[in-house]
Amino acid sequence: MELEDTQAAPAQKPGAPGFTPDRTATVDGRARATPIGIPAGSQLGHFKIVRQLGAGGMGEVYLATDLALDRPVAIKVLPDELGRDARRRDRLIREARAQARVAHPNVAHMYFIGEEEDRLYFAMEYVAGNTLAERIAKGPMSVEAALDVIRGAALGLREAQRNGFTHRDVKPSNLMIDGHGVLKVLDFGLAAGEAGIGVSGPVAQTSLAGTPLYMAPEQARGEAVDHRADIYALGATLFHLVAGKPPFEADSVDELLSLHATAVRPALPRRGQPRTQIGAIDALCTKMMAPDPADRFESYDDLLRAVELASIVHTRPAGFWARSVAMLLDFVLITIIVTLGEAAVSAITGVGVRSNMPIIIPVLAIYNALATARWGRTAGKALIELEIVDVQTGARPAMPQAIRRSLAIFGLPILVGTIDFVLAVSGMSVDADIAGVATFLMMLGGLGLLLYAALRVSAKRAFWDRAVGTVVRYRR
């Protein structure tokens, strides 16, 4: 698709007199750069050209052989238009040198930068595999496969950001899965940043460029961008991987950029995939593709946590039956303890007990909170190999969080039991054990809510888990 091509850009600086975003690109973006056409067998430095791999607005890419180390490399030759602009040329060289210091399994490595007959070129790691653009040309990806590659891309982009880079051209054709199944982020040809910066901040765009199908609205407007522009493009890529088509399509660059800035993104089609997972991906895309950068994920760490939470394979959330059995085991355990305790008190004092249900629920709530904060699981959950974790940290919940969770689960039954106890102490006549009946009905209601969460909610999180930021999953 032509609008997936990287658009070349003017060298004007945003904010300078007369600057306007480049809207004159033809639909065929590749017509913007003069073809280079290096024949096979030619040499650039100590690299021998084998064949062309691809071409775009930012240059042509060739497979070559590193004659010094006898290994395949990818050579990217920049258009003559870039080489003649001294300021942009120097910036690209400076940033390529800084990029060479980025060492991460999910980033294709930069090996060498050189110049031959006034032609600037980069030698990069050659990744033998398929780009995501080639993969989705065969059809949409499964939710888990899409989340896996997005997670790898986010890890690579996070490392680039730590070294001061914003990629600015994230798209399926710049993400490749190598022969070992590892996702590689390719082509930092539009990367913005300053050498030596440890963490990048907003970067003023010295040129307006990118790929319209995936471009963040602020990038299209020529404003300063940071890693959140890459998160937007990664969200558009995630949508494309799952839906089989980009989030927005149009006949012109102008119309497409306008849709990204103002239109409501269409919902992801289900395509027979689990409703809970499609809902999770749709919510994830909504957050990643928020028109306002402030509404997107603040950091890659936040994004990675959300991606992992949406992944059933990675999070392994516990479903209805496992959690119900664990809850039943805890209930039986506490019932036995309370019954034995009350029998001992009754034997000592000679005072009978009318019902132990009003006592069981508060004790169960206290036990649940203490065990969750101390071990991240109760005895029942431990037997089923479950754990309760904070979705933000992956660690067991803190005590205040565990208390809030326990109150969300048991608060209403405790309130009913308390009212029943006050009535009994006041000497008011009650025809039935109101607390016991009400508590039983509430337990059935809780199981219903749990069943609903298991069938309809991302990561199978019941309302009490969503309220306090926890998830119940199988132990790692």
Side-chain angles (χ1 to χ4, degrees), residues 132-465:
L132 294 187
E134 294 168 331
R135 167 61 185 83
I136 57 177
K138 303 174 183 177
M141 297 176 68
S142 69
V143 167
E144 287 300 330
L147 286 174
D148 188 51
V149 296
I150 292 299
R151 181 176 182 274
L155 288 169
L157 292 169
R158 181 179 67 175
E159 186 65 22
Q161 187 220 357
R162 287 173 175 173
N163 284 270
F165 288 104
T166 299
H167 189 287
R168 295 203 300 164
D169 200 20
V170 175
K171 58 182 178 179
S173 58
N174 279 342
L175 302 174
M176 178 172 278
I177 302 174
D178 70 10
H180 301 286
V182 178
L183 190 286
K184 298 278 189 178
V185 180
L186 308 177
D187 200 351
F188 280 77
L190 293 185
E194 292 293 335
I197 295 179
V199 178
S200 62
V203 179
Q205 299 189 75
T206 55
S207 60
L208 183 66
T211 301
L213 280 175
Y214 312 94
M215 192 185 297
E218 70 273 17
Q219 186 173 345
R221 292 191 295 267
E223 299 172 1
V225 298
D226 58 17
H227 64 282
R228 292 172 296 181
D230 286 349
I231 288 178
Y232 183 97
L234 199 58
T237 297
L238 173 60
F239 185 99
H240 193 167
L241 297 181
V242 177
K245 62 180 181 180
F248 300 109
E249 295 179 289
D251 295 326
S252 69
V253 173
D254 243 354
E255 183 182 356
L256 189 57
L257 296 180
S258 177
L259 288 173
H260 276 281
T262 61
V264 177
R265 179 184 57 78
L268 274 169
R270 186 176 173 189
R271 297 183 183 276
Q273 303 199 65
R275 187 186 304 274
T276 54
Q277 284 192 292
I278 287 297
I281 301 301
D282 200 62
L284 190 58
C285 287
T286 298
K287 180 79 169 175
M288 296 173 74
M289 293 183 63
D292 186 346
D295 294 331
R296 297 173 206 154
F297 291 100
E298 183 66 25
S299 69
Y300 281 113
D301 289 335
D302 293 340
L303 171 59
L304 285 165
R305 281 191 290 268
V307 169
E308 291 169 359
L309 185 63
S311 168
I312 290 178
V313 171
H314 191 278
T315 302
R316 300 184 67 217
F320 172 78
W321 292 109
R323 294 181 64 172
S324 297
V325 171
M327 186 182 302
L328 177 61
L329 292 173
D330 286 328
F331 182 80
V332 170
L333 173 64
I334 296 302
T335 299
I336 292 173
I337 293 174
V338 170
T339 301
L340 292 176
E342 289 182 337
V345 171
S346 180
I348 295 172
T349 63
V351 178
V353 180
R354 61 189 288 267
S355 172
N356 60 8
M357 184 61 73
I359 301 176
I360 289 175
I361 299 302
V363 173
L364 184 59
I366 295 170
Y367 161 72
N368 188 279
L370 293 176
T372 297
R374 179 63 180 84
W375 298 290
R377 56 190 181 275
T378 61
K381 288 181 172 58
L383 288 172
I384 310 297
E385 289 294 315
L386 305 181
E387 64 179 356
I388 306 166
V389 297
D390 185 321
V391 296
Q392 296 297 320
T393 64
R396 64 177 182 267
M399 181 60 77
Q401 190 177 17
I403 292 173
R404 291 197 303 271
R405 183 179 186 275
S406 192
L407 287 175
I409 299 172
F410 301 106
L412 193 55
I414 290 174
L415 177 61
V416 173
T418 301
I419 293 173
D420 181 64
F421 176 78
V422 171
L423 291 175
V425 170
S426 302
M428 298 182 66
S429 175
V430 181
D431 294 334
D433 189 348
I434 298 175
V437 173
T439 300
F440 177 74
L441 294 176
M442 290 173 193
M443 289 176 64
L444 288 181
L447 289 174
L449 292 171
L450 189 58
L451 180 61
Y452 175 84
L455 296 176
R456 302 295 298 270
V457 180
S458 172
K460 306 180 182 180
R461 300 168 69 204
F463 86 87
W464 48 83
D465 287 310

